[in-house]
Amino acid sequence: MKRAFQLISSAMVAASMFLAGCAQGRKLPMTTLAPKSDLADWIYRLFIEVTLWDGLVLAIVIVAFLLAIFVFSTRVGEAAPPSSAASDLKLEVAWTVGPALILLMITIPTIRTIFRSQPNLPPAGALEIKVVAHQWWWEFQYGDKDHVITANEMHIPVGVPIRLTLQSGDVIHSFWVPQLGGKRDVVPGQLNELTFIAYVPGVYPGQCAEFCGESHANMRFRVFVDTPQQFAEWEKGQSTMPTAGAAMTDKAAARGAQVFSNSPCAACHRIDGVSKGYIGPDLSHFGSRTTMASAIEANTPANVADWIVNPGRVKPGAQMPKLGLSGTQLNDLVAYLENLK
Ligand SMILES: [Cu+2]
């Protein structure tokens, strides 16, 4: 039984890695078959358990099918004997009770997993993060006073209970990190929750899983499961004022700060201590992120410049307008943003 479990799961992991690789051409697999949290593990085990019962049903059907063809059938030219059976009580009881038992064996673990995955209260010592879904990006707010706000890259410590409260800024979205847990819808006017403990440090890709408009497929994000030390460092970095750091020591960046403040950027984007915009992602520590544009591109100066010149080309339907910046102004602005560590 255990061996069958292992064989099935490793074959499925291989297949999903292959398919994920084909679909995205990326190294981070979008798979539910390599769980890295308690929640993902419960769902995975349930899936395997149900699949084994399905396999049993399939085997019974195939055996009955083969018996009907090769054993209990009449050959060509043979006279079919008239059936004398009116009913067979034993058989009828068997094919009623058998499927009912199999359904029961599937129902019990399913209901147990549903209740396990929806705790009413946050576990003791949980890190609470507010997740706000927008067309088409993700906002993450840490702590009561929103002292850390970031976008599209969520950092969490390994081994600590995480309690996400999910809300939408516009339409229905769905929060999904396959290796860390099941999908949870993000519905306007409603607070949904997701609770889990990540077991293994690493980077896990996420994706909006509810069609939400033109760039739904571009509404990705990443979850960084950090060691406690890495997480403490990250949180400390995100809590400090970005403008006090390296941004002002670089001349291009210093000029770029002026471009930012004098352009429409500041009306839509917040930078701690600089601007209070809230329509687009918070850019306070933009330079510390590895990706941009909802994790669809690497955060490089060339990609940032490309984005500013024509956001709609990178992410169709994006609300950010073309700003008409070019040359030195564009380069200075990119230098400023990349320096916001
Ligand atoms: Cu969405």
Side-chain angles (χ1 to χ4, degrees), residues 173 208 210 212 216 219:
H173 302 271
C208 177
E210 181 78 47
C212 58
H216 159 66
M219 192 171 164

Side-chain angles (χ1 to χ4, degrees), residues 133-138 170-175 207-213 215-217 219:
H134 302 265
Q135 281 175 314
W136 291 278
W137 58 282
W138 297 90
D170 36 56
V171 299
I172 301 177
H173 302 271
S174 185
F175 183 92
Q207 163 81 55
C208 177
E210 181 78 47
F211 180 71
C212 58
S215 263
H216 159 66
M219 192 171 164

